[in-house]
Amino acid sequence: MQINRTASAHWSGGLKDGKGLISTQSGALKDYPYGFASRFEGIPGTNPEELIGAAHAGCFTMALSLILGEAGFTAEHMETSAKVTLESVEGGFAVTAIHLSLSGRIPGADEATFTELANKAKAGCPISKALAAVPITLDVKLG
Protein backbone atom coordinates (compact mmCIF):
# COMPACT_ATOMS: atom_id res chain seq x y z
CA MET A 1 0.00 0.00 0.00
CA GLN A 2 1.30 3.43 -0.89
CA ILE A 3 -0.26 6.73 0.19
CA ASN A 4 0.79 10.08 -1.22
CA ARG A 5 -0.09 13.39 0.42
CA THR A 6 0.74 16.79 -0.99
CA ALA A 7 1.33 20.26 0.29
CA SER A 8 2.52 23.34 -1.50
CA ALA A 9 4.21 26.65 -0.81
CA HIS A 10 4.08 29.88 -2.78
CA TRP A 11 6.65 32.63 -2.22
CA SER A 12 6.97 36.20 -3.53
CA GLY A 13 9.80 38.61 -2.75
CA GLY A 14 13.11 38.42 -0.95
CA LEU A 15 13.91 36.56 2.24
CA LYS A 16 13.07 39.26 4.80
CA ASP A 17 10.42 41.22 2.89
CA GLY A 18 8.89 38.24 1.08
CA LYS A 19 5.59 36.61 1.80
CA GLY A 20 4.71 32.95 1.59
CA LEU A 21 1.50 30.96 1.49
CA ILE A 22 1.25 27.31 2.45
CA SER A 23 -1.56 24.94 1.43
CA THR A 24 -2.35 21.28 2.04
CA GLN A 25 -4.17 18.79 -0.14
CA SER A 26 -6.90 18.35 2.48
CA GLY A 27 -7.58 22.06 2.66
CA ALA A 28 -6.74 22.16 6.39
CA LEU A 29 -4.30 24.91 5.40
CA LYS A 30 -5.30 27.01 2.41
CA ASP A 31 -3.00 29.88 1.48
CA TYR A 32 -1.92 30.17 5.13
CA PRO A 33 0.73 32.88 5.56
CA TYR A 34 4.33 32.22 6.52
CA GLY A 35 7.50 34.19 6.17
CA PHE A 36 10.70 35.41 7.77
CA ALA A 37 8.89 37.33 10.50
CA SER A 38 6.71 34.35 11.55
CA ARG A 39 9.74 32.08 11.53
CA PHE A 40 12.33 34.25 13.25
CA GLU A 41 10.55 37.20 14.88
CA GLY A 42 7.43 35.74 16.49
CA ILE A 43 4.99 37.52 14.18
CA PRO A 44 1.67 35.66 13.56
CA GLY A 45 1.73 33.08 10.81
CA THR A 46 3.18 29.61 10.64
CA ASN A 47 6.65 28.29 9.92
CA PRO A 48 8.19 25.00 8.80
CA GLU A 49 9.31 24.01 12.31
CA GLU A 50 5.82 24.45 13.75
CA LEU A 51 4.39 22.32 10.95
CA ILE A 52 7.00 19.60 11.58
CA GLY A 53 6.06 19.68 15.27
CA ALA A 54 2.36 19.32 14.52
CA ALA A 55 3.00 16.44 12.13
CA HIS A 56 5.29 14.69 14.60
CA ALA A 57 2.95 15.10 17.59
CA GLY A 58 0.01 13.82 15.56
CA CYS A 59 1.85 10.84 14.08
CA PHE A 60 3.44 9.83 17.39
CA THR A 61 0.13 10.00 19.29
CA MET A 62 -1.68 8.00 16.63
CA ALA A 63 1.09 5.37 16.61
CA LEU A 64 0.91 5.17 20.40
CA SER A 65 -2.85 4.59 20.18
CA LEU A 66 -2.17 1.57 17.96
CA ILE A 67 0.55 0.23 20.29
CA LEU A 68 -1.65 0.71 23.36
CA GLY A 69 -4.45 -1.20 21.65
CA GLU A 70 -2.10 -4.07 20.79
CA ALA A 71 -1.15 -4.20 24.48
CA GLY A 72 -4.81 -4.28 25.56
CA PHE A 73 -5.18 -0.63 26.59
CA THR A 74 -7.35 2.21 25.35
CA ALA A 75 -6.47 5.80 26.05
CA GLU A 76 -9.07 7.86 27.86
CA HIS A 77 -7.09 10.82 26.55
CA MET A 78 -3.57 11.69 25.42
CA GLU A 79 -1.96 15.06 24.77
CA THR A 80 1.38 15.43 22.99
CA SER A 81 3.32 18.60 22.34
CA ALA A 82 6.42 18.75 20.16
CA LYS A 83 9.15 21.35 20.66
CA VAL A 84 11.23 21.67 17.50
CA THR A 85 14.52 23.52 18.00
CA LEU A 86 15.95 25.55 15.12
CA GLU A 87 19.48 26.84 15.69
CA SER A 88 22.13 28.75 13.85
CA VAL A 89 24.96 26.31 13.17
CA GLU A 90 28.04 26.40 11.02
CA GLY A 91 26.81 26.73 7.47
CA GLY A 92 23.34 28.10 8.28
CA PHE A 93 20.35 26.98 10.30
CA ALA A 94 19.38 23.44 11.27
CA VAL A 95 16.74 21.63 13.28
CA THR A 96 18.91 20.34 16.12
CA ALA A 97 16.39 18.69 18.45
CA ILE A 98 12.80 17.60 18.85
CA HIS A 99 11.31 17.06 22.29
CA LEU A 100 7.97 15.30 22.67
CA SER A 101 5.99 15.81 25.89
CA LEU A 102 3.20 13.30 26.42
CA SER A 103 0.55 13.15 29.09
CA GLY A 104 -2.35 10.78 29.20
CA ARG A 105 -4.86 8.81 31.14
CA ILE A 106 -4.71 5.12 30.28
CA PRO A 107 -6.97 2.95 32.44
CA GLY A 108 -5.11 -0.12 33.71
CA ALA A 109 -1.62 1.06 32.67
CA ASP A 110 1.11 2.01 35.09
CA GLU A 111 3.77 4.67 34.45
CA ALA A 112 6.47 2.16 33.48
CA THR A 113 4.23 0.42 30.93
CA PHE A 114 3.01 3.72 29.48
CA THR A 115 6.60 4.97 29.16
CA GLU A 116 7.76 1.72 27.52
CA LEU A 117 4.93 1.80 24.97
CA ALA A 118 5.45 5.52 24.32
CA ASN A 119 9.13 4.92 23.57
CA LYS A 120 8.13 2.15 21.17
CA ALA A 121 5.80 4.60 19.39
CA LYS A 122 8.53 7.27 19.28
CA ALA A 123 10.88 4.84 17.57
CA GLY A 124 8.28 3.44 15.19
CA CYS A 125 6.12 6.31 14.01
CA PRO A 126 6.75 7.22 10.36
CA ILE A 127 7.51 10.87 11.13
CA SER A 128 10.08 9.89 13.79
CA LYS A 129 11.69 7.65 11.19
CA ALA A 130 11.73 10.48 8.63
CA LEU A 131 13.35 12.79 11.20
CA ALA A 132 15.92 10.21 12.38
CA ALA A 133 18.84 12.59 11.73
CA VAL A 134 17.58 14.79 14.58
CA PRO A 135 17.84 13.77 18.25
CA ILE A 136 14.30 13.07 19.52
CA THR A 137 13.61 13.01 23.25
CA LEU A 138 10.43 12.16 25.14
CA ASP A 139 8.98 12.74 28.56
CA VAL A 140 5.87 10.90 29.70
CA LYS A 141 3.34 11.71 32.40
CA LEU A 142 0.53 9.34 33.30
CA GLY A 143 -2.30 11.00 35.10
Side-chain angles (χ1 to χ4, degrees):
M1 177 167 103
Q2 182 182 39
I3 299 169
N4 296 299
R5 302 286 186 233
T6 61
S8 61
H10 172 82
W11 188 266
S12 298
L15 174 63
K16 289 192 176 183
D17 68 342
K19 296 190 184 327
L21 300 171
I22 250 174
S23 297
T24 58
Q25 175 183 345
S26 69
L29 295 174
K30 176 89 173 121
D31 295 333
Y32 199 84
Y34 80 105
F36 185 89
S38 64
R39 192 172 195 184
F40 296 105
E41 298 171 352
I43 301 300
T46 194
N47 56 73
E49 295 73 33
E50 177 181 74
L51 297 170
I52 288 170
H56 200 181
C59 182
F60 162 78
T61 309
M62 186 180 272
L64 180 53
S65 178
L66 170 68
I67 290 167
L68 286 167
E70 291 172 344
F73 301 105
T74 300
E76 187 175 303
H77 73 83
M78 292 188 288
E79 177 91 22
T80 304
S81 65
K83 177 179 162 187
V84 178
T85 302
L86 178 69
E87 290 185 281
S88 178
V89 297
E90 187 176 319
F93 281 85
V95 172
T96 58
I98 299 171
H99 182 73
L100 300 172
S101 292
L102 166 68
S103 64
R105 185 169 292 129
I106 316 299
D110 60 26
E111 188 99 24
T113 301
F114 190 41
T115 299
E116 176 188 338
L117 297 176
N119 277 301
K120 186 176 176 183
K122 178 180 75 101
C125 100
I127 301 298
S128 288
K129 290 177 183 178
L131 300 171
V134 178
I136 302 168
T137 56
L138 170 66
D139 66 66
V140 177
K141 180 181 175 188
L142 186 63

